[in-house]
């Protein structure tokens, strides 16, 4: 079902290449946490299972890395800020699970006074972080393809898209830029574990309040951020290549 172009690397592929090179230079223990490219047949099977076509950016990303290893997911050792990468099959399985729950609780309808439903059939989960599902919003309209977080409650997206990334390509480009030029990715900054060469992202909680929506500046309710461990010993990640 996928119609992604085969004619050359796009922004997603270039961003992943930059990220991979940086990891190899500074965080070699993180390199092994990323799986290799997805099999085209596996992508097609996931699309068939969901009866949905994956967006081109997501297909391109899967063709770079088909998710992360089970060990990395169990440890929360993500190379992306606020997002644990899912494989094509995990995307389909996660969506099926959430769709079943939404049907069970009649959660596709907006409640009075709320902008969004609990879940929408055109949200595609591409990554997880504990309870929230990081999703690509494929509803028709000018903001189609933006990223956001579905926390398992209404109000996942604000009407204007505040706190969302405009696309997966834009998000991955911002990650690569932060590794090579410094700065943050929606409030997340790159660090290395103190005792090993593994990338770790941490939120700067003393900066702007975190928006509840998306991967951008984040949530005013931090109860779900179990990965913020005050006992972790981190060191600033180097900027750029040696």
């Amino acid at each position: 079902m996928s119609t992604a172009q085969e004619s050359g690397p796009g922004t997603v592929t270039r961003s992943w290449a930059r990220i991979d090179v940086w990891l190899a230079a500074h965080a070699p223990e993180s390199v092994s946490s990323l799986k290799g490219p997805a099999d085209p047949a596996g992508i097609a099977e996931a699309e068939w299972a969901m009866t949905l076509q994956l967006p081109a950016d997501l297909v391109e990303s899967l063709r770079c890395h088909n998710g992360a290893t089970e060990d990395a997911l169990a440890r929360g050792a993500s190379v992306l800020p606020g997002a644990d990468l899912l494989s094509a099959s995990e995307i389909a399985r996660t969506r099926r699970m959430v769709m079943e729950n939404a049907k069970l609780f009649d959660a596709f309808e907006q409640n009075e006074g709320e902008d969004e439903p609990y879940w929408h059939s055109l949200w595609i989960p591409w990554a997880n972080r504990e309870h929230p599902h990081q999703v690509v919003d494929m509803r028709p309209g000018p903001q189609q393809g933006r990223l956001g977080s579905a926390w398992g409650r209404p109000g996942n997206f604000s009407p204007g898209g505040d706190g969302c990334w405009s696309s997966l390509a834009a998000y991955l480009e911002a990650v690569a830029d932060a590794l090579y030029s410094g700065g943050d990715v929606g409030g997340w900054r790159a660090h290395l574990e103190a005792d090993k060469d593994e990338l770790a992202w941490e939120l700067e909680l003393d900066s702007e309040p975190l928006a509840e929506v998306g991967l951008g500046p984040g949530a005013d309710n931090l109860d779900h951020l179990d990965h913020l461990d005050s006992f972790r010993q981190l060191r600033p990640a180097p900027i750029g290549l040696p």
Side-chain angles (χ1 to χ4, degrees):
M1 295 174 64
S2 173
T3 59
Q5 296 297 315
E6 302 279 0
S7 58
T11 300
V12 169
T13 301
R14 292 193 297 270
S15 294
W16 268 122
R18 295 173 67 202
I19 293 168
D20 290 347
V21 169
W22 189 96
L23 291 174
H26 297 298
E29 294 191 40
S30 292
V31 174
S32 61
S33 71
L34 292 170
K35 293 181 180 179
D39 184 340
I43 295 175
E45 184 177 347
E47 291 181 318
W48 179 85
M50 295 188 294
T51 63
L52 281 175
Q53 182 173 306
L54 295 177
D57 283 356
L58 182 51
V59 170
E60 190 178 346
S61 181
L62 289 167
R63 288 177 176 174
C64 296
H65 292 293
N66 189 29
T69 64
E70 290 184 10
D71 175 67
L73 293 174
R75 294 185 294 110
S78 177
V79 301
L80 300 177
D84 295 329
L85 207 57
L86 297 178
S87 67
S89 62
E90 289 165 342
I91 288 170
R93 184 167 60 249
T94 299
R95 181 178 177 276
R96 182 179 68 248
M97 176 191 69
V98 181
M99 287 286 289
E100 289 174 353
N101 287 339
K103 290 176 183 176
L104 182 64
F105 294 103
D106 193 24
F108 293 106
E109 299 294 328
Q110 290 178 213
N111 293 325
E112 186 176 353
E114 293 169 343
D115 295 320
E116 299 291 346
Y118 165 90
W119 187 259
H120 195 283
S121 61
L122 292 179
W123 290 347
I124 299 177
W126 69 278
N128 278 347
R129 173 51 61 93
E130 294 297 335
H131 299 295
H133 303 288
Q134 310 296 357
V135 301
V136 183
D137 183 7
M138 291 305 294
R139 289 176 291 184
Q143 298 188 72
Q144 186 181 61
R146 62 180 175 166
L147 303 189
S149 294
W151 298 103
R153 63 173 186 266
N156 292 291
F157 293 92
S158 63
D162 294 338
C164 295
W165 291 90
S166 62
S167 66
L168 180 56
Y171 168 69
L172 290 173
E173 188 171 33
V175 172
D177 287 346
L179 296 176
Y180 281 83
S181 303
D184 68 288
V185 183
W188 299 81
R189 282 190 179 271
H191 296 76
L192 295 179
E193 298 281 358
D195 57 347
K196 53 186 175 180
D197 294 325
E198 184 171 72
L199 180 61
W201 294 87
E202 286 291 293
L203 283 166
E204 295 187 328
L205 299 183
D206 57 350
S207 62
E208 294 184 22
L210 299 176
E212 287 191 21
V213 184
L215 303 175
D220 55 11
N221 177 0
L222 301 175
D223 295 341
H224 50 272
L225 297 180
D226 299 331
H227 57 285
L228 294 179
D229 184 351
S230 60
F231 297 102
R232 294 177 76 189
Q233 298 298 311
L234 303 175
R235 51 196 166 101
I239 297 172
L241 298 177

